[in-house]
Amino acid sequence: MATFRLQGSKMLAVDMTGDSVKAKNGSMVAYDGRMAFKKLSGGGEGIRGMVTRRITGEQMVVMEVKGQGTCWFADRASEINLVELRGDKLYVESSNLLCTDAGLRTGTSFTGMRGASQGNGLFTTTVEGHGQAALMSDGPAVVLRVSRDYPLTVDPGAYVAHQGNLRQTFQSGVTFRTFLGEGGGEAFQIRFEGDGLVYVQPSERNTIAGDV
């Protein structure tokens, strides 16, 4: 299995000994040793992953890197966060996924109104199995714990990923900016209940929901 390690907070180094990884297309900045590259399409495995991406208009082009040596990955100086999966499933915005162990299964999951409110489709990317995944965030990500007694409400523009036994619902008609007497905020918020982790970034991605 490939070894993921951070060199600083914005560069991912992956050591491979005949292993392979899947990474965001164009994110490799250097490599040593002997490597082979193959472009993959769709972002999800199988026909369903490719079809749902085309329907929603999401473009998630990934490449497979295999060989002996080390590859370095980065994207627009984004902060990188490593997540260890032990048979569980990670839900992540496709734009925030940098690299995964090739043994991890990727696919798509229906997310309802949250995808529509963000203007980036009705599906989000799923990653599951055993291995590591590298997530990107605009600024250092914060991992927030959700428990039965403490549900969590998140601005959709700040949401990066979540994992665990969580149920998500969507609240409309009120925004964080509404509370502050300001307009133009997201028309939806995401509420998480259950037991798990939610990754949020300190900068909001652009959404189209402010006018909804």
Side-chain angles (χ1 to χ4, degrees):
M1 185 177 293
T3 300
F4 286 39
R5 54 189 173 89
L6 293 179
Q7 292 197 287
S9 63
K10 300 177 181 180
M11 185 78 70
L12 171 68
V14 180
D15 302 314
M16 288 178 277
T17 55
D19 324 276
S20 61
V21 296
K22 291 180 287 189
K24 181 178 180 181
N25 197 46
S27 64
M28 188 181 65
V29 297
Y31 73 91
D32 62 22
R34 284 188 261 182
M35 298 289 168
F37 309 94
K38 181 171 67 174
K39 184 177 179 180
L40 306 175
S41 62
E45 295 177 351
I47 296 298
R48 180 178 180 274
M50 296 180 70
V51 169
T52 52
R53 292 294 170 190
R54 289 174 182 170
I55 290 175
T56 61
E58 286 192 11
Q59 298 296 321
M60 183 186 173
V61 181
V62 297
M63 61 181 177
E64 182 183 65
V65 184
K66 182 177 183 178
Q68 301 264 353
T70 300
C71 280
W72 288 267
F73 299 93
D75 187 62
R76 302 177 185 275
S78 297
E79 299 282 336
I80 301 173
N81 314 270
L82 297 183
V83 179
E84 181 77 29
L85 295 178
R86 298 180 174 87
D88 51 331
K89 181 182 290 188
L90 175 74
Y91 298 82
V92 56
E93 292 295 335
S94 61
S95 60
N96 293 99
L97 185 60
L98 177 64
C99 187
T100 67
D101 278 319
L104 291 173
R105 299 181 302 279
T106 56
T108 53
S109 177
F110 181 70
T111 58
M113 291 304 296
R114 179 173 61 78
S117 71
Q118 287 186 231
N120 61 356
L122 296 175
F123 293 82
T124 195
T125 297
T126 59
V127 182
E128 60 184 316
H130 291 81
Q132 284 191 297
L135 309 183
M136 297 181 293
S137 57
D138 188 0
V142 175
V143 185
L144 302 176
R145 164 70 67 177
V146 180
S147 66
R148 184 183 63 179
D149 296 326
Y150 291 93
L152 179 71
T153 301
V154 176
D155 187 306
Y159 168 82
V160 172
H162 74 272
Q163 64 186 130
N165 185 22
L166 292 176
R167 182 176 73 259
Q168 54 179 330
T169 55
F170 308 100
Q171 300 174 333
S172 61
V174 75
T175 71
F176 292 144
R177 291 183 179 87
T178 300
F179 294 140
L180 298 175
E182 300 177 4
E186 279 71 17
F188 298 88
Q189 292 177 3
I190 316 170
R191 180 180 174 87
F192 292 95
E193 297 177 279
D195 183 24
L197 303 174
V198 179
Y199 299 77
V200 297
Q201 60 186 10
S203 177
E204 295 177 81
R205 67 177 64 82
N206 292 329
T207 71
I208 63 169
D211 297 327
V212 174

